[in-house]
Amino acid sequence: MADRIRSFLNEGAVTYAYILLYIALSSGQIFFNKWVLSSKEINFPYPLGLTLLHMVFSSVLCFVLTKVFKVMRVEEGMTLEIYTNSVIPIGATFAMTLWLGNTAYLYISVAFAQMLKAIMPVAVFVLGVAAGLEMMNCRMLFIMSVISFGVLVASYGEININWIGVVYQMGGVVGEALRLIFMEILVKRKGLKLNPVSVMYYVSPCSALCLFIPWIFLEKPRMEAHGTWSFQPVVLMLNSLCTFALNLSVFLVISHTSALTIRVAGVVKDWVVVLMSALLFADTKLTMINLFGYAIAIAGVAAYNNHKLKKEASKGSSDESQHPESIRLTESPTSNS
């Protein structure tokens, strides 16, 4: 009995360690990106170049870990048709999300950018309805209205609002919503389930190429003309490594917990980012209207997550009763990783 209790406590400690690691890496990466892009010491105000570096680093490291050292496994089943019709759109929208989201940090505070991200479920739902993946109903319409109202209140309370930054952040939100829609299509219509490491392996090179082309025309000439930017390889490599570690931590949390846990951890992370940014960055000035509006939006996000989880659970139990062996086979690679 004592051994069982000890084993249970050890498993719980490992799970909480993974969750804390995810929250620390996720919030820390946001602060790290903001510092690299806006710090006078680093002097690297090139969000497109920084994002391109992340994707190249991720591509190389994924290849080394999966093909050279073989410490991680890439899921099989990828075909040229699936890559062309699904992975390339996912890679392009992922590149769009990271590029525009990082660019927003040049114009608005980290806290305000995080508040604007709360509108994400609305964008995902609207695009899902347009793609035929979601059904409009009164409950979802109410939840979307609550989230939208909360974000509007938070925006109204922003002291130093910059509409250029808002446009960039909203563009990043749309890009992320499109990526999630394409991911759902990849799973539902193509029947391919990939763990996060496999997604990084396939998507990162595509995203890197999508970022490289605009970088040549938009930022490379500015970097050459400016001439005074100082490339600090240690800082930038650490920044890229943190990005890869963050993606890996998501994989670990999902493998050892559940979808509910990662979503709850995401909400906690959002509040950590908002509150900590007020202490770390001079451009962040929170007001009670900010926090009140954000709390309303987060309540709507929580309701949306709860609705999605119930929907996925009911569908999962239905699929398992009809095809128990196929469910077991598709779940085993993730749980064993």
Side-chain angles (χ1 to χ4, degrees):
M1 183 67 179
D3 291 338
R4 288 184 179 180
I5 294 175
R6 192 178 299 109
S7 176
F8 176 77
L9 291 176
N10 288 337
E11 289 179 3
V14 171
T15 299
Y16 281 114
Y18 284 141
I19 294 172
L20 291 175
L21 177 65
Y22 162 73
I23 293 174
L25 286 172
S26 184
S27 54
Q29 184 61 36
I30 292 173
F31 298 144
F32 202 170
N33 286 348
K34 171 71 173 180
W35 179 68
V36 169
L37 292 169
S38 60
S39 171
K40 293 182 180 179
E41 291 83 3
I42 302 300
N43 192 24
F44 195 82
Y46 305 107
L48 188 52
L50 182 65
T51 309
L52 173 60
L53 183 63
H54 290 169
M55 291 297 100
V56 171
F57 185 88
S58 179
S59 301
V60 173
L61 201 54
C62 278
F63 180 81
V64 171
L65 291 176
T66 58
K67 299 301 182 182
V68 179
F69 295 109
K70 298 182 179 179
V71 295
M72 296 178 181
R73 190 179 67 175
V74 176
E75 300 288 346
E76 298 179 356
M78 181 63 64
T79 64
L80 180 61
E81 180 186 358
I82 293 176
Y83 193 89
T84 303
N85 296 335
S86 298
V87 175
I88 290 179
I90 291 171
T93 51
F94 189 43
M96 171 184 171
T97 299
L98 297 175
W99 170 20
L100 298 180
N102 283 332
T103 304
Y105 292 142
L106 297 176
Y107 301 94
I108 58 178
S109 67
V110 169
F112 186 46
Q114 205 66 28
M115 292 177 186
L116 292 175
K117 286 180 184 177
I119 202 75
M120 179 72 66
V122 177
V124 173
F125 181 72
V126 170
L127 291 173
V129 171
L133 299 173
E134 298 281 357
M135 294 294 293
M136 180 68 73
N137 56 62
C138 293
R139 181 178 180 181
M140 290 304 295
L141 188 60
F142 174 74
I143 292 174
M144 297 302 110
S145 300
V146 170
I147 296 174
S148 301
F149 177 73
V151 173
L152 285 174
V153 172
S155 301
Y156 179 77
E158 179 66 14
I159 297 175
N160 301 317
I161 191 167
N162 185 306
W163 291 107
I164 296 177
V166 171
V167 170
Y168 274 119
Q169 188 59 58
M170 288 295 99
V173 167
V174 172
E176 177 66 4
L178 287 171
R179 185 186 73 87
L180 293 174
I181 293 297
F182 283 124
M183 286 289 291
E184 192 164 353
I185 292 174
L186 179 64
V187 172
K188 281 189 174 181
R189 298 183 181 174
K190 306 297 182 181
L192 184 64
K193 293 187 177 182
L194 302 175
N195 60 43
V197 173
S198 300
V199 173
M200 291 164 58
Y201 176 83
Y202 289 119
V203 171
S204 294
C206 180
S207 296
L209 180 61
C210 292
L211 290 165
F212 180 72
I213 296 172
W215 176 78
I216 292 177
F217 298 100
L218 297 178
E219 281 191 357
K220 185 173 180 291
R222 285 173 45 215
M223 294 169 72
E224 293 175 344
H226 196 251
T228 59
W229 70 284
S230 55
F231 182 82
Q232 300 193 21
V234 175
V235 173
L236 295 177
M237 290 297 286
L238 280 175
N239 184 261
S240 300
L241 184 61
C242 285
T243 301
F244 184 84
L246 170 60
N247 292 327
L248 190 60
S249 71
V250 174
F251 171 63
L252 292 173
V253 171
I254 292 175
S255 299
H256 290 81
T257 58
S258 65
L260 174 62
T261 304
I262 192 69
R263 288 178 178 178
V264 172
V267 172
V268 174
K269 180 266 299 181
D270 292 342
W271 276 107
V272 169
V273 170
V274 168
L275 298 177
M276 285 293 294
S277 63
L279 302 175
L280 296 176
F281 299 105
D283 64 346
T284 302
K285 294 179 176 61
L286 297 176
T287 65
M288 290 304 297
I289 299 178
N290 273 146
L291 296 176
F292 178 67
Y294 189 54
I296 294 174
I298 288 297
V301 171
Y304 172 79
N305 286 339
N306 182 59
H307 174 78
K308 291 289 288 184
L309 286 169
K310 286 183 177 179
K311 183 179 176 182
E312 290 169 4
S314 62
K315 182 181 178 182
S317 60
S318 174
D319 290 344
E320 189 172 0
S321 64
Q322 296 175 5
H323 307 286
E325 294 184 0
S326 63
I327 294 295
R328 190 158 52 247
L329 286 172
T330 54
E331 287 181 350
S332 59
T334 301
S335 59
N336 291 337
S337 298

